[in-house]
Amino acid sequence: MSCLLRTARLCARWLFASAAAPCRRASRFNVPPSAEFVARPVGICSMLRLPIQTSAEGLDAAFVGVPLDVGTSNRPGARFGPQQIRAESVMVRRYNASTGAAPFDSLLVADVGDVNVNLYNLPDSCCRIRQSYQKIVASACVPLTLGGDHTITYPILQAVAEKHGPVGLVHVDAHTDTSDTALGEKIYHGTPFRRCVDEGLLDCSRVVQIGIRGSSYTPDPYKYCRDQGFRVVPAEDCWMKSLVPLMGEVRQQMGDGPVYISFDIDGLDPAYAPGTGTPEIAGLTPSQAFEIIRGCKGLNIVGCDLVEVAPIYDVSGNTALLGANLLFEMLCVLPGVKTM
């Protein structure tokens, strides 16, 4: 280990310990420092200002960055999503005041850094992602992923299904991402769930896609999904209403089996989340996004991702801020999280 890296780690541990000490009792968990005692811009940039580890060993849950965007079909830039989400996550505090969830009193959580992707070779990147997540899930750690374009969900689910078997899927998106090919390629951000079906990674009777909308290349763009047994909930069915009743139905559909949450930020209306590569108007609201994620409480969640944040299209940082909060909400509904 280089002297510079060793010094940085020691400084990070000292900062974390000294920052957290004034505001909490001794705990076996990692507790983010409070802005009452440590200024938000202080310290190494990590998700929720948690400690940074090089391995998921010993963790109950881990935040993982996958800075890949070479699978995009329109505007690139999601490779910078993990950095910006981490930067904006300084606004997220320790407890969920709305639900009472206390994730940092319940689970040992850390930021395990980024997968070392290959920006010049998408198949090789998928291989690297799969291998990284095989190690994470083998350690009984639940990964919460900061994307990155939606291609990354395919190799992540390869690793997750290798451990848990075919999983149920709660997929929030403007697009179904079930195309077969584009420009002759079978792997890009429009195909991950088609490839997952091909490989038997999904329990198709337990797949729901929420917020789907936009123009299409065919008269019946959702036929493939429905033929597989997916439940498709178009955005029009979500307008001007609470999604709490929908999520009651989703919980029944998912049952006790393993469930993965994949949230594309373009599922939200671009009025709220303009920083993404393939925006579609008339989408979900942030409050509906909260209802969806909070509605997953009680499910056997084995992994989550938040993808397609491209900060260069939103100088305000609001899209990344939304992403950070949605990831916090996902952490709050993981199995084992207590309420206060």
Side-chain angles (χ1 to χ4, degrees):
M1 184 187 300
S2 71
C3 181
L4 181 60
L5 179 58
R6 185 180 296 109
T7 301
R9 287 182 180 172
L10 289 172
C11 288
R13 290 171 184 166
W14 173 85
L15 171 67
F16 182 79
S18 61
C23 60
R24 66 180 177 95
R25 298 184 297 274
S27 172
R28 66 186 181 89
F29 301 111
N30 294 329
V31 181
S34 169
E36 297 171 303
F37 302 99
V38 180
R40 287 192 171 102
V42 171
I44 295 171
C45 187
S46 68
M47 186 62 183
L48 305 177
R49 300 206 288 176
L50 287 165
I52 299 172
Q53 295 189 187
T54 57
S55 165
E57 288 292 334
L59 297 176
D60 299 307
F63 290 102
V64 192
V66 186
L68 182 74
D69 64 0
V70 293
T72 51
S73 59
N74 192 40
R75 305 186 303 193
R79 69 181 65 183
F80 302 113
Q83 288 181 354
Q84 192 65 31
I85 292 169
R86 286 183 172 109
E88 298 296 341
S89 75
V90 298
M91 280 299 298
V92 182
R93 301 169 182 86
R94 178 176 174 181
Y95 296 103
N96 191 320
S98 299
T99 67
F104 305 113
D105 293 343
S106 313
L107 305 176
L108 187 60
V109 191
D111 187 329
V112 296
D114 293 336
V115 176
N116 183 23
V117 296
N118 182 348
L119 295 179
Y120 309 113
N121 188 315
L122 187 54
D124 182 53
S125 284
C126 288
C127 181
R128 290 166 179 246
I129 294 165
R130 183 180 69 252
Q131 291 172 350
S132 295
Y133 278 77
Q134 284 171 332
K135 295 176 182 178
I136 292 170
V137 299
S139 66
C141 175
V142 177
L144 299 103
T145 301
L146 293 65
D149 74 58
H150 222 152
T151 310
I152 69 175
T153 305
Y154 165 48
I156 292 172
L157 283 176
Q158 286 180 316
V160 170
E162 183 178 310
K163 178 177 177 65
H164 297 284
V167 298
L169 176 70
V170 177
H171 173 209
V172 184
D173 206 320
H175 315 96
T176 64
D177 292 352
T178 54
S179 297
D180 190 17
T181 62
L183 303 178
E185 297 298 326
K186 296 180 75 70
I187 298 176
Y188 78 106
H189 75 163
T191 65
F193 300 114
R194 183 84 162 229
R195 301 288 80 84
C196 288
V197 171
D198 291 345
E199 297 183 18
L201 309 180
L202 298 177
D203 178 352
C204 294
S205 67
R206 296 192 303 120
V207 174
V208 60
Q209 299 181 302
I210 305 172
I212 309 302
R213 62 192 189 277
S215 52
S216 66
Y217 295 114
T218 64
D220 188 1
Y222 313 141
K223 183 180 186 301
Y224 172 84
C225 299
R226 290 177 174 138
D227 285 349
Q228 309 314 307
F230 296 2
R231 179 176 182 179
V232 180
V233 183
E236 291 90 334
D237 291 352
C238 303
W239 290 347
M240 307 298 179
K241 66 176 68 171
S242 167
L243 300 186
V244 171
L246 168 66
M247 293 311 297
E249 297 172 3
V250 170
R251 286 194 299 276
Q252 284 192 324
Q253 179 182 356
M254 295 297 155
D256 298 328
V259 176
Y260 189 88
I261 301 173
S262 187
F263 201 117
D264 188 324
I265 201 70
D266 73 24
L268 296 176
D269 191 275
Y272 305 105
T276 191
T278 51
E280 301 280 2
I281 65 167
L284 304 176
T285 68
S287 58
Q288 289 176 317
F290 275 25
E291 288 177 329
I292 293 169
I293 297 173
R294 291 174 182 178
C296 293
K297 180 69 175 177
L299 297 179
N300 179 19
I301 300 167
V302 295
C304 311
D305 64 51
L306 188 288
V307 298
E308 298 285 358
V309 171
I312 59 176
Y313 308 113
D314 181 5
V315 295
S316 71
N318 280 349
T319 306
L321 178 63
L322 264 171
N325 278 274
L326 294 176
L327 282 159
F328 175 69
E329 292 287 334
M330 293 176 194
L331 175 65
C332 288
V333 299
L334 292 187
V337 172
K338 301 180 295 186
T339 55
M340 305 301 288

